[in-house]
Amino acid sequence: MSAAESITHPGVIEKVSNDTVFVKVLAMSACSSCHAKSMCNIAEVEEKIVEIKKEPQKEYVPGKTVTVSMKKAQGTYAVLLGYIVPFFLLLGVLLGVLTVSGNEGLAGLLAIIVLIPYYWLLYIYRTRLKSTFSFRIE
């Protein structure tokens, strides 16, 4: 996989189980690298643990620094499911209810409430989605 086709992050192997490697990755917001971050206090750095299927021919040692990669298309799909679909769902319900009823409060409430079953379905299908989004150690 070339650099143009993948998203990479440095990480540290946290632990190794029978078939899974757990890698700690620092997820940084865009403003965490800003020169003015000390002034606004909104810079965000968060540790995330990524589960990666173990490749039998490789040796994994806890504490070792590695590079974790994911195909860009998978990242685009994740953004689509996590942000774009809910946005258009919310907007569609908001405008639909507002057009039909004319009640802004009801439209806003239903637009927010419709996101509950959407994110609940994502939670229900998390194991299937987990297999869709695969990370690799390079």
Side-chain angles (χ1 to χ4, degrees):
M1 209 175 349
S2 73
E5 298 172 347
S6 66
I7 300 167
T8 60
H9 288 286
V12 177
I13 296 176
E14 192 72 13
K15 68 178 183 175
V16 180
S17 70
N18 293 336
D19 59 348
T20 307
V21 179
F22 297 90
V23 179
K24 180 176 24 173
V25 177
L26 290 178
M28 293 184 266
S29 67
C31 57
S32 67
S33 61
C34 176
H35 69 281
K37 69 181 177 184
S38 62
M39 300 302 239
C40 67
N41 293 327
I42 60 171
E44 183 179 314
V45 177
E46 183 181 353
E47 287 184 357
K48 298 193 182 229
I49 303 294
V50 179
E51 296 179 26
I52 303 170
K53 190 173 184 177
K54 193 174 177 182
E55 294 180 29
Q57 67 273 18
K58 290 188 178 179
E59 184 179 333
Y60 303 100
V61 179
K64 181 179 177 187
T65 302
V66 294
T67 301
V68 177
S69 68
M70 174 187 201
K71 290 181 184 174
K72 271 191 180 179
Q74 291 176 342
T76 304
Y77 186 57
V79 168
L80 180 75
L81 288 177
Y83 297 104
I84 296 172
V85 170
F87 172 73
F88 283 111
L89 184 64
L90 183 130
L91 193 62
V93 170
L94 180 70
L95 294 176
V97 173
L98 190 57
T99 302
V100 171
S101 72
N103 186 340
E104 292 176 0
L106 179 65
L109 184 64
L110 290 178
I112 293 171
I113 288 175
V114 77
L115 294 178
I116 295 170
Y118 175 77
Y119 283 113
W120 181 72
L121 282 172
L122 286 181
Y123 179 77
I124 295 297
Y125 289 107
R126 71 186 177 278
T127 53
R128 184 177 293 171
L129 289 171
K130 189 185 263 188
S131 66
T132 302
F133 300 109
S134 60
F135 293 91
R136 294 184 56 218
I137 295 178
E138 295 182 352

